[in-house]
Amino acid sequence: MKSTIKVILLAITINGFVWQLVIPPFEYPDEQAHFAQVQDIAEIGHVPTQGRDTSLEVQQSEIFLRTERDNQGNNYFTYHPERKITYTGTVEGFGEQSIKNLPGTARSTLIKKESTLNPPVYYQLASLFYKAAFNVDLFTRIFIVRLLSLVFLILTAYFTFKTGKLIFKSEVLPLVLMVMVGFMPMFVYASTGILPDSFTNFLMTVVIYLNLNLLKKGISVKKLLILVSVIALGVYSRQQFLMAIPFTLVPILVRTKNNLRHMAIFIISFSFLILFILIATFFFGSVPVIGAFTLPDAHILYRARSLLSVHLLYFVKGFILESYRQTFPWFWGVYKWLSLTMPMYYYQLIKGILILSFIGLCLSVRRAFTTKKISQELISIMFMIYVTTVYFLFFIVWGYLFTKTNNYSFGFQGRYFFPIIVPIMAIIVYGMESILETIFKRFASTSLVIFTLTILVLNGFSLFVVAHSYYVTTNLNIFTNHISSYKPELIKGPIIPMIIFLSFALQGYMLIKLTNKLQLSTRKQ
């Protein structure tokens, strides 16, 4: 088991690094703005809250990389996935040497306002990676800082496995779940750039694991302290992390139902926590430390009475339609500044898998009611459904109040739902196992291998489509020169195709290990 876990984690690591190689600097979502915040902390010790906050070095590189945005927030690639940056025909990018030759003062000379002003934890950690590569060129610093996100992707995959062990009685399904999360293309894309999403996703995965552990194995002071600490750390990374607090309601209420004293203590403590958040929001928003626990966009709460309006029903209808038409493809794969989508059959294949998984879930619930036996697996899946539902309800309520207050929709990108990717994928895996066992019975294990292979194919296909949008992929030499542009000197040239080949070879070996594990598990049964 341990060797298989190590192989999967290594395959996830190399695949994530390949994504980092394929995506040019500042091509992840708002990467230049996030990098600017990291650079400000590393170079000048803080992020200016007023006036200019982005360096000359970043601004000059954006010109050559064509990522400089206009007054409407669009750049050269927005709505134009067919566009590519100018290449020189060598491993050096156009203007690459000019950027490298900028004086050291260009890092701290602030000339425009573009930096993010997010809570500091991720950026403080990222600044340590930046400082570790302080004396090298911009492109090396970018890739070194990107490695922090790769670390969080690996940790997320590991806690996905631990969560899977709590959910499934099978030894193999936690491994399948880890592969599903670790190779989900859009999730890997959103977890390997310079942006706090990777850290937030990791912390939320830990919170979900801890809550499920409380539900399955009971409460202890140590577990509660760790859970509170992780949630607090999450809040200092993204204020929206406050939505993780309701996740603890079910596990603790279930575990204290036979002890009224403990239940009363929890309810009183939870009530005081909500009161503290509301007081912090309306009276202490600007106070250090306490201000981190304020509700985001708190002014919209004054519209809370409108939740009783019939207009909420129309908003929910619109939200569901928007989720299907827009958020769904964004969740499964939209790249290059939201301009590059996958072919229609890509999304149709995923919809087919989701329909089969839903049918399998319904069959499992039906069997539970028919036999009047609810398995521990199903209880865990119901908790995953609860977490997913709470998360969606938060966005529905917040989105409605935001729209009523500002007279325009916020617009939810698919990656906003990646903090709950483990519950979503766990539900899919559970449903697929149920339907495959119902249909194929003796060949269910073989079908599960094919199901696992599907996510690897989707990952490889997405990687090719994204690479093709940036580089010429029909000629190996040209591709090598193009992809080497704006990269650290150590990873220019033929080493890049070699790393890509290694990644796919390792995925093949991983699949063989999983197949052997499935066959061994089937014999035991």
Side-chain angles (χ1 to χ4, degrees):
M1 174 69 82
K2 289 184 178 179
S3 64
T4 306
I5 295 170
K6 290 177 181 177
V7 169
I8 294 174
L9 287 175
L10 181 59
I12 290 171
T13 303
I14 303 300
N15 177 67
F17 188 65
V18 169
W19 274 91
Q20 291 180 330
L21 290 173
V22 167
I23 307 300
F26 300 158
E27 283 288 343
Y28 283 104
D30 299 323
E31 188 175 37
Q32 76 285 355
H34 295 293
F35 180 81
Q37 183 170 350
V38 174
Q39 187 175 59
D40 285 347
I41 292 172
E43 295 282 351
I44 63 177
H46 69 282
V47 182
T49 55
Q50 294 181 343
R52 299 166 181 172
D53 55 21
T54 304
S55 72
L56 173 65
E57 183 182 49
V58 170
Q59 186 264 345
Q60 287 295 302
S61 63
E62 285 188 273
I63 293 173
F64 288 111
L65 295 168
R66 308 298 294 272
T67 58
E68 191 170 37
R69 294 188 282 195
D70 58 25
N71 294 332
Q72 295 181 325
N74 300 325
N75 62 33
Y76 179 71
F77 304 105
T78 307
Y79 309 123
H80 291 282
E82 76 285 353
R83 290 178 176 175
K84 294 179 172 65
I85 58 176
T86 304
Y87 295 103
T88 63
T90 69
V91 295
E92 289 287 328
F94 181 71
E96 182 174 343
Q97 203 57 47
S98 299
I99 298 170
K100 290 180 179 179
N101 290 334
L102 287 171
T105 55
R107 303 182 184 188
S108 54
T109 302
L110 307 180
I111 66 166
K112 69 172 181 175
K113 188 171 184 62
E114 190 175 12
S115 169
T116 52
L117 293 170
N118 290 326
V121 176
Y122 167 80
Y123 300 92
Q124 293 286 357
L125 292 172
S127 71
L128 297 178
F129 278 67
Y130 182 103
K131 290 175 182 177
F134 194 82
N135 295 320
V136 297
D137 63 87
L138 171 66
F139 305 109
T140 303
R141 275 177 280 135
I142 289 172
F143 271 83
I144 293 297
V145 177
R146 280 183 176 183
L147 291 179
L148 176 63
S149 294
L150 188 56
V151 170
F152 290 132
L153 173 62
I154 298 164
L155 291 172
T156 300
Y158 178 70
F159 273 92
T160 297
F161 169 74
K162 289 177 70 68
T163 304
K165 286 189 69 176
L166 290 175
I167 297 173
F168 303 109
K169 61 181 180 181
S170 164
E171 292 183 356
V172 180
L173 289 182
L175 299 174
V176 172
L177 179 61
M178 181 162 58
V179 172
M180 290 292 293
V181 171
F183 285 92
M184 195 279 207
M186 189 64 187
F187 179 70
V188 178
Y189 170 75
S191 301
T192 48
I194 301 174
L195 60 165
D197 295 37
S198 57
F199 187 51
T200 307
N201 297 338
F202 162 62
L203 291 178
M204 191 66 81
T205 300
V206 175
V207 167
I208 291 166
Y209 163 74
L210 291 172
N211 276 297
L212 187 59
N213 192 288
L214 289 175
L215 181 65
K216 300 292 289 288
K217 298 186 177 182
I219 296 175
S220 69
V221 174
K222 179 182 177 181
K223 289 179 184 178
L224 289 175
L225 286 175
I226 294 173
L227 180 58
V228 170
S229 300
V230 175
I231 291 177
L233 194 60
V235 171
Y236 280 109
S237 303
R238 288 279 180 138
Q239 286 176 303
Q240 291 87 342
F241 209 90
L242 287 168
M243 73 178 76
I245 293 174
F247 297 168
T248 64
L249 281 174
V250 168
I252 294 181
L253 287 175
V254 167
R255 282 295 172 178
T256 59
K257 64 181 179 180
N258 296 322
N259 191 320
L260 294 180
R261 180 173 174 272
H262 287 171
M263 182 179 286
I265 291 173
F266 168 70
I267 292 174
I268 292 171
S269 301
F270 189 82
S271 300
F272 272 109
L273 175 62
I274 299 301
L275 183 62
F276 167 75
I277 291 172
L278 291 174
I279 292 173
T281 298
F282 291 107
F283 299 103
F284 299 100
S286 59
V287 177
V289 183
I290 296 177
F293 289 87
T294 59
L295 294 169
D297 296 297
H299 62 283
I300 67 176
L301 292 178
Y302 292 109
R303 291 274 188 170
R305 284 183 297 178
S306 65
L307 289 172
L308 302 176
S309 168
V310 71
H311 295 294
L312 176 61
L313 298 177
Y314 291 108
F315 179 84
V316 171
K317 178 184 176 182
F319 180 87
I320 293 171
L321 290 174
E322 182 182 351
S323 297
Y324 178 76
R325 295 170 181 169
Q326 179 173 291
T327 310
F328 174 84
W330 280 3
F331 183 87
W332 289 99
V334 176
Y335 308 91
K336 205 171 184 179
W337 297 93
L338 301 178
S339 67
L340 179 65
T341 59
M342 296 292 108
M344 186 59 67
Y345 55 78
Y346 174 93
Y347 303 108
Q348 290 171 341
L349 173 62
I350 293 170
K351 288 176 183 177
I353 292 172
L354 295 180
I355 290 170
L356 287 174
S357 178
F358 179 74
I359 294 172
L361 178 62
C362 291
L363 289 173
S364 182
V365 172
R366 180 174 175 273
R367 277 194 297 267
F369 278 103
T370 302
T371 61
K372 296 181 180 180
K373 292 181 180 179
I374 301 178
S375 67
Q376 288 298 311
E377 278 191 358
L378 186 56
I379 290 173
S380 299
I381 290 299
M382 296 307 291
F383 177 67
M384 296 293 105
I385 293 173
Y386 164 74
V387 168
T388 305
T389 303
V390 168
Y391 196 88
F392 270 82
L393 285 176
F394 171 86
F395 274 102
I396 288 174
V397 172
W398 183 83
Y400 173 72
L401 294 177
F402 183 93
T403 302
K404 290 288 290 183
T405 304
N406 298 284
N407 296 318
Y408 66 90
S409 175
F410 181 79
F412 298 115
Q413 295 183 30
R415 64 189 176 93
Y416 296 167
F417 297 90
F418 284 152
I420 57 166
I421 190 169
V422 174
I424 291 172
M425 289 299 186
I427 295 166
I428 293 172
V429 170
Y430 179 82
M432 285 301 294
E433 185 210 19
S434 176
I435 193 72
L436 292 176
E437 283 189 350
T438 302
I439 296 175
F440 297 104
K441 296 179 181 177
R442 287 174 54 194
F443 302 101
S445 60
T446 303
S447 304
L448 198 59
V449 171
I450 296 172
F451 168 62
T452 308
L453 175 63
T454 303
I455 197 69
L456 300 181
V457 172
L458 292 178
N459 172 77
F461 179 74
S462 300
L463 197 57
F464 172 78
V465 172
V466 173
H468 183 71
S469 75
Y470 288 115
Y471 318 109
V472 172
T473 55
T474 53
N475 183 291
L476 182 59
N477 289 330
I478 297 175
F479 171 74
T480 302
N481 286 335
H482 284 188
I483 198 172
S484 297
S485 300
Y486 311 108
K487 299 294 189 300
E489 291 297 329
L490 288 176
I491 47 176
K492 284 181 179 286
I495 191 173
I496 295 180
M498 291 171 62
I499 294 172
I500 295 173
F501 175 80
L502 173 64
S503 177
F504 286 114
L506 196 55
Q507 289 174 41
Y509 178 62
M510 177 190 71
L511 196 63
I512 293 171
K513 295 277 287 184
L514 267 177
T515 303
N516 293 337
K517 199 74 182 173
L518 271 169
Q519 291 175 346
L520 184 62
S521 177
T522 303
R523 290 195 200 102
K524 287 181 179 179
Q525 293 175 0

